[in-house]
Amino acid sequence: MPREGILVNNPLERLSGEQVRQIHDASIEILNDPGLLCFNKKAAEIFQSHGAEVTSVSDSDTPCWHVRIPERLVTDALDSAPKTVTLGARNPDNALIMKGDEPRVFFITGSETNTWLDVDFPTYVNKSDPRKEIKVPEFQPRRSTVADLCDSAHVCEHLETVDGYIRTVNIQDKDINEDNKDVNKFFACLNNTTKHVMSGLTSLNQLDNVVKMAELVAGGPDKLKENPLISFITCLVKSPLQFVDDTTETFMEVCKRGLPIVVSSSPQAGTSAPIKEAGIMAQINAEVLAGLTLGQLVNRGTPVLYGSVPVRARMDTLGDSYGSIETSQYNIDCVQMARFYKIPNYSTSGVCDTKMPGQQSSIERLFSDIVVTLSGPQFLHCAFGLLDGNSVFCLLQAVLDDAHFQMIKFFLKSPRINEQELDTVKKQIKEVVATPQKMFINYIRPVMRSGEISPPYPFEGDGDSDSVFALANERLQELRARPVEHIDPDTTARIFREIPGLLPRLNVYKGER
Amino acid sequence: MSGDIIESIKENVIQGRVTRDDEGIDEGMVGQPGVTELIKEALASGVGVSDIINRGLTASMTVVGQKFENEEYYIPDMLASAEAVGAAMELLEPYMAQSGIKPKGKILIATVKGDLHDIGKNIVSILLRGTGYLVKDLGNDVETKDIVEAVREEKPDFLGLSALLTSTMVNMEATIKALAENGLRNKVKIIIGGAPVSEEYAESIGADGYGADGFHAISVIEALNSGDSVAS
Ligand code: B12
């Protein structure tokens, strides 16, 4: 049985059917004129051999082609791209089945932050009344390591609402380099969670090693096809409208191997896309369609997700503002576009602008988590622990986010209103109004134990001060103490024998055999 | 007359209007001469270059800076004004030598090999142009050898390097080494920037400075820039 996620019954839509059409038409026009700049020769050739108009750009320093994609290629690609994408998992019960026309939401982590936040709770004493003490959370940023990645995967394994795992932090240990980064980051994730694992790839020359590792874990190449327990994310189009050389190469290689991949575009309204909603929407949709078309030309039927990470620029720095309301609006629009094409969508919510967990972070993330979830993306990424516009990851925040998603999931349960239910309650009402106390309390108990009543906020303290962080931290420590099911010893031994570059310290069985 | 035109230049820098087609902030400005047209007109009518620079451009950027501090202006406003100053400086450059004015300095800027992030670098370039520097932008994903070549040819006073990935920031160090190997390290001051780098990192790889953002970059470069400059 795969994971259930949460089905959104009446998904929130911002665009009318006509507006969706208009965006689609504008994107199709953009794909033809101005078209895209393509810095990858093979991709340009593939487009050309399928009838796109491709010309070499002579005044560019680096080799570059101008590609105009005709509507026919896009329509074909939208036809052949699978409408259901399965993301497998080491534990098959954690598989995710995403149907492009079904607004069933799965919550997944992200992204690849360089900074990890530790938390500590020093005690402060009131100057005027030293009997009064409070513990105040203090957050300490530092560069993230592979041990942090293992820690984060381990805790996310136990967070109930985390449906899948994107590597949350960049591994920056001294002994990590371009050539061993990919195998170590995938191993750290796979070995510490039995949920689906997705990541970007740092070096294309590591793709085969990573796939080999996944095959060993899955039990062979065929098993991996059946149960694709890893998938990839690539930002092959740099906004506005440029196929990047190396990422496009990686994208095509993954497509050839038939493993699931996200075609992600991340334009920033104001800098790399128009500040107007119509503009960023027409552009991002064109960029995703361009990537999706290339993927289907490389390998017809290969599974892709419609990846959207649109953001609005901050007016004070021109950095990304994930906390801005427009960012949520764009994401919801993208969910609608993907649903229009029936391609499963990878969307973004939950990242905040502030650097630390606190009130601003809670408000910004909960706002976007609610509204974007309501729109029904299949794959909602970034949703746990990310701060400072995607630059900082905090595990304590991820624990808090898990509580948010429990609330959102509860809210999205279908209303239980039907004839039978109404008959029961009509009877209750009649009975109660006939009693002297006129109280319904007796009827609570059976309901209370059926899961129909939402639990209290899990980090509510009993004192006069806010103890949310301290209680969440207790929960974090408790999750850390729970064991995880690592990859078995034999498979681990094979992986360490056959996959070059793995750090011996990641072998949890070393010393035992 | 010269007073009027300098006032107009000043006003148009504050409005961030490079040419007559630009909107500016106030209504109804499209079609009226922008900074480019006004500078040409001023030069044709014999207004002094140093007057234009000091009383027109520098004075207006001071106003823009104040508006930014007061949160009346945001970065897009600041950049529009900086762009107007950059365009003006380009027009004035050929006249500076004959008027005995030393240019503030020349800066080459690039995002290093393997890195495609360029939004931050572009912002820094525009702001530096707006401060009166001549900025040549080499683009992103620039090969180390191409940076070395450009330094050899252009003889800039400063080299700005940008990187946003931990995997590419090492190419900053490689660039500094390559410059040294080519005997060029002492000919140029190097300032680095981008989210994953820091003051300490700059020091550790032998760069001369680190800029956390565009404004910080300006102050670091101004501090490193000894010698006479027009704007002071
Ligand atoms: C926008 C963005 C992109 C855009 C870039 C668009 C563009 N035209 O630049 C796209 C989508 C293309 C992209 C691609 C990728 N990205 Co990116 N990206 C970002 C993001 C969200 C914002 C960067 C930005 O533009 N900030 C706004 C500007 C204004 O700020 P800034 O760049 O920091 O610049 C300021 C200062 O740093 C300084 N400065 C900058 N340069 C210089 C130079 C000098 C000389 C000086 C003095 C100062 C200075 O002044 C600037 C102005 O204030 C960052 C996250 C983040 N918050 O930083 C991730 C981020 C940098 N990207 C990341 C990743 C992983 C990638 C990809 C590998 C994703 C993938 N799997 O495909 C690719 C890599 C492509 C490549 N080879 O470079 C990671 C990097 C982690 C790491 N490994 O180090 C980050 C941190 C996001 C994350 N957490 O996952 N990305």
Side-chain angles (χ1 to χ4, degrees):
Chain A
M1 276 289 281
R3 287 181 80 90
E4 259 183 47
I6 181 76
L7 183 64
V8 183
N9 275 320
N10 299 296
L12 172 67
E13 303 203 321
R14 298 186 67 253
L15 306 172
S16 68
E18 195 191 347
Q19 287 171 324
V20 168
R21 251 286 149 210
Q22 287 168 338
I23 291 172
H24 170 77
D25 290 345
S27 303
I28 293 290
E29 199 179 318
I30 289 170
L31 288 172
N32 182 49
D33 179 19
L36 284 93
L37 281 182
C38 179
F39 292 89
N40 183 285
K41 187 164 182 231
K42 268 185 236 159
E45 285 167 358
I46 290 174
F47 275 117
Q48 188 162 36
S49 69
H50 286 85
E53 193 186 314
V54 176
T55 47
S56 160
V57 178
S58 51
D59 59 355
S60 163
D61 291 343
T62 32
C64 167
W65 294 265
H66 182 205
V67 178
R68 291 160 170 267
I69 307 176
E71 181 171 6
R72 174 181 53 82
L73 289 190
V74 180
T75 318
D76 277 0
L78 286 169
D79 272 352
S80 68
K83 306 299 173 281
T84 299
V85 173
T86 298
L87 302 180
R90 188 147 70 79
N91 173 355
D93 291 345
N94 281 330
L96 312 173
I97 299 179
M98 307 190 169
K99 299 183 181 146
D101 58 358
E102 184 187 67
R104 184 180 294 282
V105 188
F106 297 101
F107 303 111
I108 292 123
T109 57
S111 146
E112 188 178 36
T113 70
N114 289 331
T115 304
W116 172 277
L117 273 195
D118 282 321
V119 59
D120 191 20
F121 290 87
T123 304
Y124 285 77
V125 179
N126 188 329
K127 272 190 178 169
S128 46
D129 181 359
R131 284 168 311 171
K132 279 193 190 159
E133 289 184 347
I134 49 167
K135 282 189 186 301
V136 179
E138 268 182 18
F139 295 95
Q140 278 304 330
R142 61 175 171 80
R143 281 193 185 275
S144 49
T145 63
V146 72
D148 297 326
L149 185 59
C150 294
D151 182 17
S152 144
H154 176 148
V155 171
C156 288
E157 169 75 0
H158 297 308
L159 290 177
E160 220 176 287
T161 61
V162 172
D163 290 308
Y165 188 73
I166 292 185
R167 46 89 182 89
T168 51
V169 294
N170 187 14
I171 53 177
Q172 301 166 82
D173 310 58
K174 286 222 159 54
D175 44 4
I176 291 291
N177 55 47
E178 287 256 301
D179 287 330
N180 68 5
K181 189 179 214 171
D182 289 314
V183 290
N184 281 294
K185 84 182 164 204
F186 270 97
F187 184 76
C189 299
L190 283 168
N191 197 35
N192 287 287
T193 178
T194 65
K195 296 175 181 176
H196 181 76
V197 169
M198 178 185 276
S199 172
L201 202 69
T202 304
S203 312
L204 181 53
N205 66 19
Q206 289 305 304
L207 176 60
D208 285 328
N209 284 331
V210 168
V211 173
K212 181 82 196 292
M213 185 194 304
E215 286 170 355
L216 289 172
V217 177
D222 293 344
K223 289 270 164 51
L224 183 65
K225 281 250 144 58
E226 260 167 51
N227 180 24
L229 40 84
I230 58 163
S231 62
F232 297 88
I233 157 125
T234 46
C235 230
L236 69 161
V237 178
K238 173 177 162 181
S239 303
L241 299 159
Q242 304 157 79
F243 277 111
V244 169
D245 187 16
D246 58 349
T247 330
T248 301
E249 191 76 28
T250 302
F251 173 73
M252 293 190 296
E253 288 301 318
V254 173
C255 286
K256 274 189 205 159
R257 287 162 179 76
L259 284 166
I261 187 157
V262 179
V263 179
S264 156
S265 167
S266 182
Q268 195 197 57
T271 57
S272 53
I275 186 79
K276 297 211 173 211
E277 183 175 11
I280 187 169
M281 281 310 301
Q283 185 183 309
I284 190 173
N285 188 51
E287 290 171 341
V288 176
L289 290 179
L292 196 142
T293 302
L294 177 63
Q296 296 304 306
L297 292 178
V298 168
N299 181 7
R300 209 174 151 76
T302 197
V304 286
L305 298 185
Y306 181 113
S308 40
V309 193
V311 278
R312 202 209 69 200
R314 282 181 75 111
M315 294 302 116
D316 53 353
T317 60
L318 291 187
D320 286 346
S321 177
Y322 283 91
S324 71
I325 308 300
E326 293 93 324
T327 294
S328 292
Q329 292 180 324
Y330 309 150
N331 273 286
I332 294 170
D333 292 352
C334 287
V335 175
Q336 252 188 285
M337 293 311 296
R339 192 151 55 232
F340 170 67
Y341 301 125
K342 301 192 169 55
I343 311 284
N345 169 267
Y346 161 107
S347 215
T348 314
S349 82
V351 189
C352 64
D353 288 351
T354 179
K355 290 183 167 60
M356 303 280 159
Q359 301 219 27
Q360 183 184 344
S361 124
S362 303
I363 292 163
E364 287 178 339
R365 58 207 312 122
L366 189 53
F367 181 89
S368 70
D369 283 339
I370 293 173
V371 293
V372 182
T373 303
L374 287 181
S375 73
Q378 286 75 18
F379 186 118
L380 188 62
H381 102 295
C382 271
F384 296 87
L386 291 180
L387 299 132
D388 192 14
N390 239 342
S391 307
V392 174
F393 177 76
C394 177
L395 206 39
L396 184 73
Q397 181 67 62
V399 171
L400 293 165
D401 292 334
D402 180 59
H404 291 163
F405 283 114
Q406 309 255 11
M407 290 156 81
I408 295 173
K409 282 179 94 162
F410 191 94
F411 175 75
L412 281 166
K413 284 186 180 178
S414 303
R416 263 177 65 168
I417 294 173
N418 53 42
E419 286 305 326
Q420 194 198 344
E421 194 84 351
L422 286 166
D423 284 346
T424 318
V425 294
K426 280 187 293 191
K427 206 165 140 249
Q428 275 180 21
I429 294 169
K430 255 192 221 161
E431 281 171 14
V432 168
V433 294
T435 61
Q437 291 89 355
K438 304 196 186 333
M439 299 281 264
F440 290 90
I441 296 172
N442 278 345
Y443 297 99
I444 295 180
R445 293 176 58 216
V447 180
M448 204 167 73
R449 293 191 167 70
S450 70
E452 274 177 83
I453 298 197
S454 70
Y457 184 63
F459 309 123
E460 182 179 303
D462 48 11
D464 294 334
S465 61
D466 187 326
S467 36
V468 170
F469 287 137
L471 291 170
N473 193 46
E474 277 174 23
R475 167 126 175 99
L476 171 59
Q477 302 316 329
E478 179 209 317
L479 297 177
R480 270 190 175 131
R482 281 194 212 169
V484 285
E485 191 192 315
H486 293 298
I487 298 168
D488 67 80
D490 289 341
T491 311
T492 303
R494 263 194 86 181
I495 291 174
F496 274 82
R497 248 192 340 263
E498 295 180 29
I499 310 294
L502 286 170
L503 300 175
R505 65 175 178 279
L506 292 187
N507 188 342
V508 289
Y509 304 107
K510 99 186 136 192
E512 275 177 32
R513 33 178 41 224
Chain B
M1 166 67 206
S2 104
D4 282 357
I5 197 154
I6 283 182
E7 262 321 295
S8 301
I9 290 172
K10 198 172 154 188
E11 181 52 29
N12 277 280
V13 169
I14 295 170
Q15 293 275 337
R17 296 185 65 239
V18 181
T19 71
R20 64 169 74 243
D21 297 332
D22 290 337
E23 283 178 2
I25 293 175
D26 295 344
E27 296 270 310
M29 299 203 74
V30 178
Q32 294 181 38
V35 169
T36 312
E37 290 88 4
L38 289 166
I39 295 278
K40 285 182 187 157
E41 194 186 323
L43 287 170
S45 54
V47 182
V49 175
S50 61
D51 256 7
I52 299 180
I53 294 178
N54 292 329
R55 288 178 35 232
L57 305 179
T58 310
S60 56
M61 280 314 270
T62 309
V63 176
V64 171
Q66 280 158 359
K67 283 179 181 279
F68 185 75
E69 302 254 297
N70 298 338
E71 293 184 15
E72 188 186 330
Y73 267 25
Y74 289 99
I75 287 275
D77 304 312
M78 189 85 184
L79 292 178
S81 297
E83 250 174 309
V85 171
M89 291 305 287
E90 224 165 274
L91 290 172
L92 294 173
E93 204 220 331
Y95 301 89
M96 284 163 67
Q98 73 194 50
S99 313
I101 302 170
K102 256 175 79 185
K104 278 187 91 164
K106 186 174 190 180
I107 303 179
L108 284 190
I109 191 161
T111 301
V112 295
K113 175 74 199 141
D115 204 316
L116 300 163
H117 296 84
D118 59 3
I119 297 175
K121 177 213 66 183
N122 295 345
I123 293 173
V124 173
S125 305
I126 297 171
L127 288 175
L128 286 169
R129 278 197 192 106
T131 319
Y133 289 92
L134 273 174
V135 180
K136 183 154 187 209
D137 186 344
L138 301 175
N140 58 67
D141 190 11
V142 186
E143 294 279 354
T144 304
K145 67 172 177 27
D146 293 344
I147 299 179
V148 173
E149 246 352 273
V151 169
R152 196 194 310 279
E153 263 171 39
E154 303 277 345
K155 303 187 177 53
D157 304 285
F158 293 93
L159 172 64
L161 297 175
S162 180
L164 265 280
L165 299 170
T166 50
S167 53
T168 57
M169 65 190 216
V170 291
N171 293 334
M172 294 177 153
E173 187 174 10
T175 306
I176 295 178
K177 284 204 176 117
L179 285 168
E181 280 158 19
N182 285 273
L184 294 164
R185 176 63 190 93
N186 298 330
K187 306 236 179 313
V188 63
K189 293 214 167 68
I190 299 172
I191 168 164
I192 65 166
V197 304
S198 60
E199 191 88 56
E200 298 82 67
Y201 184 70
E203 227 167 87
S204 77
I205 63 169
D208 300 298
Y210 156 75
D213 58 34
F215 301 113
H216 188 216
I218 293 174
S219 63
V220 170
I221 286 185
E222 300 274 83
L224 288 170
N225 201 3
S226 48
D228 300 329
S229 62
V230 282
S232 53

